Amino acid sequence: MADAPASLNPAQLAAVHHLVGPCLVLAGAGSGKTRVIVHKIARLLQAGVEPKQIAAITFTNKAAQEMRERAKALVGPRAARDLVVSTFHSLGVRMLRQDGERIGLKPNFSILDADDILGVIRDAGGCTDNALARRWQWTISLWKNQGLDADAAERAAASDDERVAARVMRRVQERLQAYQAVDFDDLIGLPLALLQRDEQARASWQRQFRHVLVDEVQDTNAVQYELLKALVGDGAAGTPFTAVGDDDQSIYGWRGATIDNLKRLPQDYPQLKVIALEQNYRSTGHILRAANAVIAKNPKLYEKKLWSDLGDGEPVRVLACDSEEHEAERAVARIQAIRGGATATTPCRLADFAILYRANHQARVFEQKLRAAQIPYKVSGGTSFFDRAEIKDLCAWLRLLVNQDDDPAFLRAVTTPRRGIGHQTLGTLGEFAAKWKTSLFEALFSPSLATVLKGKAIDALHEFGREVNELEHKARRTQGAGDAKALLLGWLKAIGYEQHLYDGEDSEKLAAARWTNVLDFVDWIARRCGGEVTQDGGSVETETQTVLQVAQTISVIISLAERGDEQDVVTLSTLHAAKGLEWPHVVLAGVNEGLLPFRSGDEDMTPERLEEERRLMYVGITRARQTLVVSTLRRRKRGRETVAGVPSRFIAEMKLDELTTREDPRERLKRMRAELAARVAAAPPVPG
């Protein structure tokens, strides 16, 4: 965030010094909410609260890391070390590791990610259609976020499709219990069940924390809100807490978050102290007035109006573009023009620019034009190469070579590809491993396993164990790019992985693309085995490694490969992924009816949907610090058609009059020259 003042403003001070009872801090965009949370932690320590008795809960690991670092800088490393700063999900893991046995979960339970769960869902539903399985997955996740189990989901099911999904949900729950595994939604639901069912556990956790701080409370779903209530107890005699949030930035309703939780707080805690942070330290006056005008159209839970003492700055500009290509060209030209006007006293980096849009598909044309102009960029909100299902499959095998106690890797590898090992066999293996307190892989080779599994089931498990051990033996001895590639390709052929991909996809084209990703990954590992590592755009030579050595560092390698925070590149991002971030210069792209607010086909735009889309526009506007361009299309693509573009109603709601949008003639000439230069640079070469 732009630098806040050295001292706290009166509203921030009021929030920091309210230590008794529940408190809601309405933190407007750019109003210094993280600073308030960190200073409140320092004030609690000053008041005699032990660091381990303070819990600060965030929604993302990145936010938790930032809060931890800022707390460390303010209160010192010793005090910061014992603070409980975590996401909701990390806190859930902590609670289940400590007390999960009270609800039948072993301490070393496995956590399955979305792809792992998709496989369980396909198996539970007897389904080979990935699209259908993903719809079940989404529905089941929404039910869990609403606090529904399979029985309640079946009662709530409103169609035949939902009734099928509820039956699949029941089978998935049975499998997860047998595997001693949980999914991400369970990391919230099971701790809540623990506190609701076990009075002793509830009293213990309520005693553990003397103050709970929750960031972005408007993004909580029904289960997260109930977990917060269970942690802090009754408002009169329970643990004091500070909830920090902004009803104007509630944009995750589609994944179960509900703004109703902000409405419930004063009802559940009548003594709630509400403090509004309205001074913005990020954006100029023109930008904030546009944001305030838009959000004023929404009904207000709490009155709040952002203001800034940073001056008016440049007017917000609205650009009408002929097409998506024209829009991208103008965005690139703007970046070049602003950078061309930078000086030693007012430097400008590529990282100062962001192009924001409503939907992922809008990124493609911007990527094309940025590449043509040789401007580096990164895309936020899309799918990383390492998040692809086929790459995660291979990584599960490699993780198992390195750590045979890695139960989630075991569960993924043993079922990828299928080898006649079903959920009942894995359930029995899971119960056996839990009873003898061993990993699933170690349980495989126990002589006693034959007492609970017979015939083909145990033979298939032993064959899998043999394959893993054989691959580990070879991986330990194979080094150099050529030998490593031969080993990996031979292994993939032996387990029939290419056929597995084709069997799992309805489209041969999609299966072929996934197999190409696998071959790219094999090449990537082989190059590292051969001593070739890419750094800063070039290759450097290091010592050759064995396949096992590369596997041992693969999580670190992936982390480094995906690290982009320090890169000097333009950001392309969906509006949802941009929340919590900021840039000096922002372009809001495709601000048209049908895109923002988003409408799929002829669906009805309910008042609730429109209000959330308006909040999304508000979030986009308030990402900008110095300049903001709102770009709209005269013609836009819809599927394979080109249709007339209608400017979004949100543009009129910004109330930009002629004076605030008029462009200086000299600036206009400068921009037109930059746009012309950009078009020339992007044009294909003339044949000689």
Side-chain angles (χ1 to χ4, degrees), residues 51 99 102 136 236 243 375 408 421 453 460-461 513 528 548 556 633 680:
D99 284 330
R102 290 176 171 271
W136 287 340
I375 296 175
I421 299 173
L453 284 173
L461 286 172
R528 292 186 171 275
L548 189 63
V556 178
L633 301 168
V680 170

Side-chain angles (χ1 to χ4, degrees), residues 398-417:
L398 295 175
R399 282 164 46 199
L400 197 56
L401 301 188
V402 174
N403 175 17
Q404 296 184 342
D405 290 336
D406 189 336
D407 283 353
F410 175 93
L411 287 170
R412 186 169 194 130
V414 78
T415 55
T416 313

